[in-house]
Amino acid sequence: MATYKLLLLPGDGIGPEVMTEVEKTAAVLSDLGVAHFEMEKGLVGGSAYDAHGQSISDSDMALAQAADAVIFGAVGGPKWDAVPYDVRPEAGLLRLRKDLALFANLRPAICYPALADASSLKREIVENLDIMIVRELTGGVYFGEPKQIIDLGNGQKRGIDTQVYDTYEIERIGRVAFELARKRGNKVTSSEKRNVMKSGVLWHEVIVALHAREFKDVQLEHQLADSLAMQLVRWPKQFDVIVTDNLFGDILSDIAAMLTGSLGMLPSASLGEMDAKTGKRKSLYEPVHGSAPDIAGKGLANPIAMIGSLAMALRYSFGQGDTADKIEKAIADVLASGLRTADIKGNATSTVSTTQMGDAIATELRKAFA
Ligand code: IPM
Ligand code: MN
């Protein structure tokens, strides 16, 4: 049985409770002889700050570098609103992305038929939706320099962020999108704001050239990011794979996630470059949702996005697509049976706790292997 080294970083808020359900799912797989996980735990975000004044320690970073995959919960909360900017909870996540060079963020938005009524959009618009947002994750305005507030000396200050993209960054994220599209609906929509941004002009140019050179068989469209936001809520099923920069990807993926009924449903994968020699890549898996401090510790959180993140790890890091399919089917079956956590209650008359949802998925998963 294959053994995989996981670093679990539960983080803050609901992070630890949903991570417990990942441990439960992993235990089932190991019990069934499907995969064995060597798991270590670390601190990130506010909990790391409380422990040692940093949003992630160097020793936990070393564990992350050594792991086959990092499984990340969520960070942040009002408790840390006043901590210095450099050690704010989000800085831990950004350091992981940057230091592990996780440039490709895959954010699927899938609407399970059982949940179509939980969406704020009409059932026919979202039912069976299956799109993949490919967000560039280590460049753009998130990391561009200069990034500062300067004092102009006349009673005014100036805040500066820098949007910057080099050819190679656009090419490698474009390649991820085209390759994914070939395994799905064979269509890529590339999005930028080339009508106002030079980085958008370059983005468009590089994607067009890459397509002509290597991916002529894939259908390619371009949409300005504002127009894409509008189309996502108008008729989202027109999309297959969307590729876009770090900031637009952040915003568009929240929209896409909410189409499916709840942020509590969607996992994501952040991937580095494949090492040609070992065939391995650095990776981190996290739910799209945040730390939801308002419901933390109450057993209300939906663990599905977190469990789905383990499924994505099996698919994208461990070559176990079949096992990932089985976890996703267990989730779909539990939803079809009517079980609901509070965030996806819809018209349901009762809801289950985080633990009960995790237990139900574990039971379905055992059945899938029986
Ligand atoms: C996300 C989050 C992060 C981001 C925050 C927590 C830094 O919103 O993963 O989408 O902006 O990338
Ligand atoms: Mn976000």
Side-chain angles (χ1 to χ4, degrees):
M1 174 170 43
T3 296
Y4 307 114
K5 241 162 81 179
L6 299 182
L7 175 66
L8 307 185
L9 296 174
D12 310 321
I14 60 171
E17 12 183 339
V18 291
M19 191 65 81
T20 301
E21 304 312 310
V22 163
E23 293 176 74
K24 190 181 282 174
T25 313
V28 170
L29 294 177
S30 138
D31 192 34
L32 292 170
V34 177
H36 183 67
F37 301 96
E38 252 172 46
M39 294 186 275
E40 294 203 71
K41 253 188 206 175
L43 293 173
V44 67
S47 55
Y49 177 80
D50 289 346
H52 43 62
Q54 280 183 296
S55 51
I56 186 162
S57 66
D58 291 344
S59 59
D60 280 344
M61 277 307 303
L63 289 178
Q65 292 280 5
D68 292 322
V70 177
I71 312 290
F72 182 100
V75 289
K79 184 178 172 198
W80 302 284
D81 276 352
V83 308
Y85 188 78
D86 288 349
V87 291
R88 73 198 187 287
E90 291 78 6
L93 176 57
L94 296 175
R95 179 172 179 201
L96 281 159
R97 289 175 180 170
K98 194 68 179 175
D99 287 9
L100 300 179
L102 307 172
F103 70 93
N105 186 211
L106 277 44
R107 299 192 159 186
I110 292 169
C111 183
Y112 296 90
L115 282 189
D117 294 322
S119 174
S120 52
L121 297 189
K122 294 191 197 87
R123 174 176 276 275
E124 62 267 29
I125 294 180
V126 294
E127 189 171 18
N128 291 318
L129 177 73
D130 180 358
I131 61 185
M132 175 71 87
I133 297 200
V134 177
R135 168 188 176 192
E136 200 292 324
L137 203 60
T138 49
V141 77
Y142 272 62
F143 296 100
E145 296 287 346
K147 188 179 201 53
Q148 58 185 322
I149 298 175
I150 50 178
D151 201 326
L152 297 178
N154 58 354
Q156 294 285 306
K157 290 182 183 177
R158 180 173 293 157
I160 304 172
D161 291 284
T162 305
Q163 165 82 347
V164 49
Y165 273 107
D166 292 356
T167 306
Y168 79 96
E169 295 177 285
I170 305 168
E171 256 176 21
R172 68 181 178 181
I173 195 69
R175 205 166 270 126
V176 168
F178 284 123
E179 276 165 6
L180 273 171
R182 276 184 178 154
K183 297 185 198 140
R184 299 172 39 101
N186 212 38
K187 178 175 163 187
V188 169
T189 305
S190 170
S191 187
E192 24 59 22
K193 280 281 289 177
R194 67 183 185 280
N195 53 346
V196 285
M197 297 168 80
K198 284 292 178 188
S199 58
V201 172
L202 182 67
W203 183 282
H204 178 259
E205 198 179 291
V206 171
I207 295 287
V208 166
L210 176 67
H211 176 252
R213 224 167 42 234
E214 296 175 33
F215 297 98
K216 274 214 181 88
D217 55 302
V218 181
Q219 189 191 340
L220 173 64
E221 284 180 356
H222 306 272
Q223 277 202 17
L224 298 176
D226 53 342
S227 159
L228 179 59
M230 179 273 287
Q231 289 294 340
L232 264 178
V233 289
R234 193 183 73 85
W235 187 244
K237 287 188 224 173
Q238 68 185 284
F239 299 111
D240 176 28
V241 174
I242 294 170
V243 63
T244 189
D245 79 9
N246 204 343
L247 182 61
F248 295 142
D250 180 43
I251 298 166
L252 295 171
S253 64
D254 264 29
I255 300 179
M258 201 57 218
L259 297 175
T260 70
S262 166
L263 283 177
M265 296 298 301
L266 297 180
S268 78
S270 303
L271 308 175
E273 202 87 68
M274 179 85 82
D275 183 319
K277 271 189 230 130
T278 61
K280 284 188 178 183
R281 66 196 332 164
K282 295 260 190 293
S283 59
L284 178 148
Y285 298 86
E286 61 172 313
V288 171
H289 65 68
S291 59
D294 50 320
I295 59 162
K298 298 183 180 161
L300 291 174
N302 182 349
I304 289 179
M306 192 74 251
I307 296 171
S309 298
L310 181 67
M312 283 191 97
L314 286 155
R315 174 171 294 120
Y316 291 105
S317 288
F318 307 144
Q320 291 216 21
D322 291 353
T323 309
D325 287 346
K326 289 200 166 85
I327 296 176
E328 284 158 6
K329 181 167 183 307
I331 292 171
D333 288 349
V334 165
L335 291 171
S337 79
L339 235 61
R340 298 286 184 270
T341 43
D343 57 308
I344 48 173
K345 183 163 185 284
N347 303 323
T349 48
S350 65
T351 58
V352 298
S353 68
T354 310
T355 313
Q356 287 169 319
M357 182 56 94
D359 287 344
I361 292 169
T363 305
E364 282 305 318
L365 189 57
R366 282 185 190 280
K367 280 193 214 157
F369 281 99

